[in-house]
Amino acid sequence: MDDAKKKTGLIFMKVGLHAQESIEDIIARKQREFETAGAIFWGYGGNTCHPLTMVQPFAKQIEQRGEEVLIVMQKMNSKHSAPPEVAKEYSDDGVNWKPIPKGIEVRGSRYALVLDELREEEFDVDLSELEVGVGPSRGRRADRYLINQADKGCFVFAEPEIAVAPEQRIIKPIALVARVKSPFAVFVRN
């Protein structure tokens, strides 16, 4: 990871087949979304990146420091075969709902990150250099947080207190990057 990325907040997420659509098809669709609508809604589920309690507070804190929030995505094999139901509305507070903007499509998800242009970019992230940046696990190293069912989280760069031996580092290959923009994360529904 280059030094510029170390000065950002990172949302790490594993991505793959979702709602019966391949990751390659999702990438192409999301890039068209950006061309059409000027934004991307990247759908997901799971409370480790809940819009109100995790992503929005984290992103606001990072922006207050004058830094940006990036999503970095690791491709993986996935069996997410949920029905590809398309969301019709979104809300940044879970109370007030608006129609999904024309040209944006979110399938089979409860939440969506709001992104700028999606770039295919390859680099490695050392999870021992990241720690959780928000919530009850704040300060926990990413290599200890991203285990079992945890496949995403909000992280900041932090030099390890104790040097991690090269053979003990957990390196994740990143394939996709985008800037997360206000309102950062939203609820979506059919």
Side-chain angles (χ1 to χ4, degrees):
M1 181 168 37
D2 64 34
D3 287 338
K5 287 183 183 69
K6 289 181 179 182
K7 294 182 176 152
T8 63
L10 294 180
I11 297 175
F12 173 89
M13 185 179 290
K14 294 179 183 177
V15 297
L17 176 80
H18 181 83
Q20 303 172 16
E21 186 179 21
S22 75
I23 187 62
E24 291 76 19
D25 289 343
I26 295 169
I27 293 167
R29 183 167 53 83
K30 294 300 173 184
Q31 289 173 330
R32 283 191 306 273
E33 274 182 25
F34 182 75
E35 290 171 13
T36 302
I40 295 168
F41 280 25
W42 188 274
Y44 67 98
N47 286 329
T48 56
C49 282
H50 188 277
L52 291 181
T53 60
M54 302 298 272
V55 177
Q56 290 178 11
F58 173 71
K60 288 173 185 173
Q61 163 194 321
I62 297 299
E63 279 201 342
Q64 285 174 351
R65 295 192 325 218
E67 299 169 2
E68 63 183 10
V69 179
L70 297 177
I71 180 169
V72 294
M73 298 181 242
Q74 175 191 1
K75 288 183 182 178
M76 61 173 259
N77 290 327
S78 169
K79 296 179 178 149
H80 188 271
S81 58
E85 295 177 12
V86 177
K88 294 178 177 60
E89 298 180 306
Y90 79 99
S91 171
D92 59 358
D93 61 8
V95 176
N96 300 299
W97 293 86
K98 302 172 220 169
I100 298 266
K102 184 178 168 95
I104 292 180
E105 189 174 298
V106 182
R107 301 178 185 177
S109 298
R110 292 175 33 196
Y111 314 126
L113 292 171
V114 181
L115 310 178
D116 264 348
E117 187 173 12
L118 181 65
R119 301 181 314 273
E120 294 188 70
E121 190 175 320
E122 294 184 4
F123 59 92
D124 291 333
V125 169
D126 181 350
L127 296 183
S128 67
E129 294 181 335
L130 301 177
E131 65 181 32
V132 177
V134 67
S137 295
R138 183 184 205 126
R140 188 172 185 193
R141 275 194 4 212
D143 58 351
R144 294 190 179 132
Y145 182 78
L146 292 169
I147 55 175
N148 300 326
Q149 296 298 318
D151 62 353
K152 66 184 78 62
C154 301
F155 301 100
V156 293
F157 177 77
E159 289 285 342
E161 290 179 18
I162 301 170
V164 177
E167 66 276 3
Q168 293 179 329
R169 292 187 172 142
I170 298 178
I171 307 295
K172 298 294 180 182
I174 300 304
L176 299 165
V177 180
R179 188 177 69 83
V180 183
K181 64 183 194 174
S182 184
F184 312 113
V186 295
F187 299 88
V188 294
R189 70 181 183 189
N190 301 338

